[in-house]
Amino acid sequence: MALPDKGKMKPADEKCMKVYVMEIEDVVEARELTAKLFSENILDREDREKIDSGETRKERTRRLLDTIVMRGERSFSVFVQALQSRGYRDLAMKLHDTRCIYHNDDTEDLKESLSKQMELLIQRIDTIESEVKMRMVTRNETVSLSIEIKSLSLKMQTISCTLLQIEELSRSSKITEETISDLKDKLKAKDILLELARGQLVELESKLETLEAENALLRSDVKRQDRQIRTLRRAIEDEKLRNEKMQRQAEEDRKKNETTFHRHEKLFEEMAKQQDLITKQREEDKAHMQALEHKLDQQRRQKRNVGKRNFVPRNRMEDGRK
């Protein structure tokens, strides 16, 4: 693999980097860009290891910026491509637009410098022509002057071509500036939407925190209810066991009661039979008593009758004595 380019990047590119250095340090993760820069021969293996070994994100980004500034004129454009390929499109667009502005300023400076050179060349040609008219010159001087005039003419043509190119570049720059202005307006609109999205994101985060808190409360309630349900299930199981035990006890008591009932029923039947026997015996005793009473009554009447036959009234006894 070829060695990386050495030397500083273009002044306009370096200015552009300085404008956005704070945003680059706040947003960019250098580890995401080192692979692209390494593959494009902007960084070597030692540079990549040095950058990736930074302890914090800002430290890694600072190391990256300090390195690519000294990696030649290609480093800026490759850095912008790496930003765009890794999802930093807004930042890459800002760097690209700002670079166009700085390059346009450099073009204006070059145009002004070339215009001054062209004025100096015209003045030089006028001076040479006046010297030729004012004095007689030798053949050698004439040849040298003609050569100088041709050289100056070529330079003027070159400057004219360069000025035409500069004018063309200026027109294209104006078109580019208009495009940049439109892009800036769109970028501002996107920034506004981004701020709105950030506000909505903050609201969503607060709602999410509220929902998480409510979720935590619900989870605690669910856990508490689970414990209560487990307790109730154990109580139900215990109650089922007690009910089964009571049912078995009730069944045993029922069987005992049935046995006792049958035994008592038999006893009642025997007692009823005995009662019937006793009733019959009483009836027989009653009949016997009635017979005895009847007999006694007869005997009493017989005794009364016998006493009446032997009794003599007193009057009759007196009558007999008379």
Side-chain angles (χ1 to χ4, degrees):
M1 180 180 292
L3 294 175
D5 296 336
K6 300 293 183 179
K8 295 189 71 175
M9 64 171 54
K10 294 178 181 179
D13 296 341
E14 189 173 358
K15 288 180 184 178
C16 185
M17 295 288 285
K18 287 180 180 179
V19 171
Y20 293 101
V21 64
M22 296 296 293
E23 185 173 352
I24 293 170
E25 289 180 355
D26 291 337
V27 174
V28 174
E29 171 55 65
R31 287 175 177 169
E32 297 178 352
L33 308 179
T34 52
K36 172 69 174 176
L37 296 171
F38 179 74
S39 65
E40 293 290 337
N41 204 30
I42 301 299
L43 301 177
D44 56 19
R45 190 177 301 278
E46 184 179 353
D47 295 332
R48 185 178 181 183
E49 291 176 354
K50 179 181 177 182
I51 293 166
D52 291 343
S53 63
E55 293 183 357
T56 63
R57 182 180 56 77
K58 282 194 173 184
E59 182 180 355
R60 292 190 292 272
T61 306
R62 288 194 190 102
R63 290 183 182 182
L64 174 63
L65 295 176
D66 293 340
T67 303
I68 63 174
V69 168
M70 303 302 296
R71 288 297 179 270
E73 297 182 354
R74 292 177 53 248
S75 58
F76 182 85
S77 59
V78 176
F79 177 69
V80 173
Q81 292 174 8
L83 286 174
Q84 192 166 7
S85 64
R86 298 304 297 176
Y88 303 101
R89 292 184 178 84
D90 293 337
L91 182 57
M93 183 65 71
K94 290 178 182 179
L95 289 169
H96 180 269
D97 295 344
T98 307
R99 182 193 191 193
C100 291
I101 294 170
Y102 282 131
H103 276 281
N104 188 34
D105 293 340
D106 292 342
T107 304
E108 292 293 332
D109 294 338
L110 180 59
K111 183 179 178 180
E112 185 177 356
S113 176
L114 290 173
S115 297
K116 289 180 180 179
Q117 290 181 13
M118 191 170 181
E119 289 176 0
L120 291 174
L121 288 172
I122 291 170
Q123 291 175 3
R124 176 64 175 158
I125 291 170
D126 292 337
T127 303
I128 291 170
E129 288 178 350
S130 64
E131 288 178 355
V132 170
K133 290 177 181 179
M134 290 177 62
R135 63 188 180 89
M136 296 298 292
V137 295
T138 63
R139 181 179 178 81
N140 292 329
E141 290 176 346
T142 304
V143 171
S144 63
L145 286 173
S146 63
I147 292 171
E148 187 175 355
I149 290 170
K150 288 180 180 179
S151 176
L152 292 174
S153 298
L154 290 173
K155 288 183 178 179
M156 287 183 67
Q157 290 177 0
T158 304
I159 291 172
S160 298
C161 292
T162 305
L163 287 174
L164 290 174
Q165 292 176 356
I166 289 172
E167 290 177 358
E168 183 67 26
L169 288 173
S170 297
R171 286 194 294 272
S172 63
S173 297
K174 289 180 181 178
I175 296 172
T176 305
E177 286 177 359
E178 293 176 357
T179 306
I180 290 171
S181 179
D182 294 337
L183 291 173
K184 284 182 178 179
D185 293 337
K186 291 179 181 179
L187 186 61
K188 287 180 181 178
K190 286 184 179 179
D191 288 337
I192 294 171
L193 293 175
L194 183 61
E195 289 297 326
L196 293 174
R198 284 175 179 171
Q200 293 176 355
L201 183 62
V202 171
E203 292 179 359
L204 289 174
E205 286 178 351
S206 63
K207 289 180 181 179
L208 181 62
E209 290 177 356
T210 304
L211 290 174
E212 286 178 350
E214 292 177 355
N215 192 19
L217 292 174
L218 289 173
R219 285 178 180 173
S220 62
D221 290 338
V222 169
K223 289 180 180 179
R224 180 174 54 79
Q225 290 177 2
D226 287 338
R227 289 194 295 270
Q228 291 178 354
I229 289 170
R230 287 195 293 270
T231 303
L232 288 173
R233 284 178 178 174
R234 287 195 295 269
I236 290 170
E237 292 295 329
D238 295 338
E239 189 67 24
K240 283 182 179 179
L241 293 175
R242 283 196 296 272
N243 288 334
E244 290 176 356
K245 186 176 180 180
M246 290 176 66
Q247 286 178 357
R248 288 194 297 271
Q249 186 66 36
E251 186 66 22
E252 292 177 358
D253 293 340
R254 186 182 65 78
K255 290 179 179 179
K256 289 180 180 179
N257 291 332
E258 286 181 356
T259 304
T260 305
F261 176 76
H262 291 309
R263 188 166 58 249
H264 288 173
E265 191 175 17
K266 289 180 181 178
L267 289 173
F268 286 144
E269 290 178 356
E270 292 178 357
M271 289 175 66
K273 290 178 181 179
Q274 290 179 0
Q275 187 68 31
D276 292 338
L277 292 174
I278 291 169
T279 303
K280 289 180 180 179
Q281 186 68 36
R282 283 181 180 177
E283 290 177 354
E284 290 177 357
D285 291 340
K286 186 178 181 180
H288 185 65
M289 288 291 294
Q290 289 176 354
L292 289 175
E293 287 178 356
H294 182 69
K295 189 175 180 180
L296 285 173
D297 289 337
Q298 288 180 354
Q299 289 178 357
R300 286 174 186 162
R301 282 194 295 271
Q302 287 177 1
K303 285 180 180 180
R304 288 193 195 103
N305 292 328
V306 171
K308 286 181 179 179
R309 285 194 300 267
N310 294 326
F311 178 72
V312 178
R314 186 174 181 180
N315 294 327
R316 289 179 63 184
M317 289 179 65
E318 289 179 352
D319 291 335
R321 287 178 182 171
K322 287 177 178 183

